[in-house]
Amino acid sequence: MSITYSRNILLMVGELHRRGYQRLRISPGMSASGAHWRCAVTPVLNVLAANGAMAADWNLAAVYSSSSQGRYFQWDDAEHCDAGGLARLFIARFSEICEAGYGADWLYAGWYLEMLHRTYPDSLPIAYRDDEVMDGSLRATGGDIVIPPPPPGMRSGGSS
């Protein structure tokens, strides 16, 4: 698994936050085998109130898998983009998600910066594995890093 491409997704979301889309959240996890990291980007309205790192409906999310490497979100033209370039493409290609994710959420944006700091330079946050949901806290790949849970989402009910 290439950490570089996956970290670029995290940096892209940070860039989206700087551009005013602070109501966009990540739902990061691992495949059951542990071979592939996944990250859904979704508006806070689609994140569980009981677990601020779990999307309620994956149909309302843009999902990246590390198995795609530089084919971010299955795009054929983004492999060499930096976080800013990915953010521009994301806004253009996922306009509905971005529209729902536009607005201030300083509590989450602050949490997100802390998560980036704790996982720097070569770890990724994990909120679930395909074969288990964790207790609400996040862990990081490649170590014993524990990341405090993010602020709660706004959606009640179970995840799908």
Side-chain angles (χ1 to χ4, degrees), residues 38-71:
R38 297 188 182 115
C39 186
V41 181
T42 192
V44 67
L45 294 170
N46 186 42
V47 173
L48 295 177
N51 183 335
M54 289 299 299
D57 182 350
W58 287 75
N59 293 316
L60 300 174
V63 181
Y64 169 78
S65 171
S66 64
S67 64
S68 299
Q69 297 189 31
R71 287 191 68 237

Side-chain angles (χ1 to χ4, degrees), residues 10-26 41-45 84 86-106 108-110 112:
L10 296 176
L11 295 173
M12 175 200 75
V13 173
E15 181 64 29
L16 288 166
H17 287 168
R18 282 188 290 283
R19 294 177 185 204
Y21 298 93
Q22 291 181 351
R23 294 174 57 85
L24 289 177
R25 299 269 182 113
I26 62 166
V41 181
T42 192
V44 67
L45 294 170
L86 286 176
R88 280 189 301 281
L89 290 174
F90 193 91
I91 292 166
R93 295 175 181 178
F94 292 111
S95 59
E96 290 180 22
I97 291 172
C98 288
E99 184 177 315
Y102 189 78
D105 186 345
W106 292 104
Y108 185 79
Y112 197 84

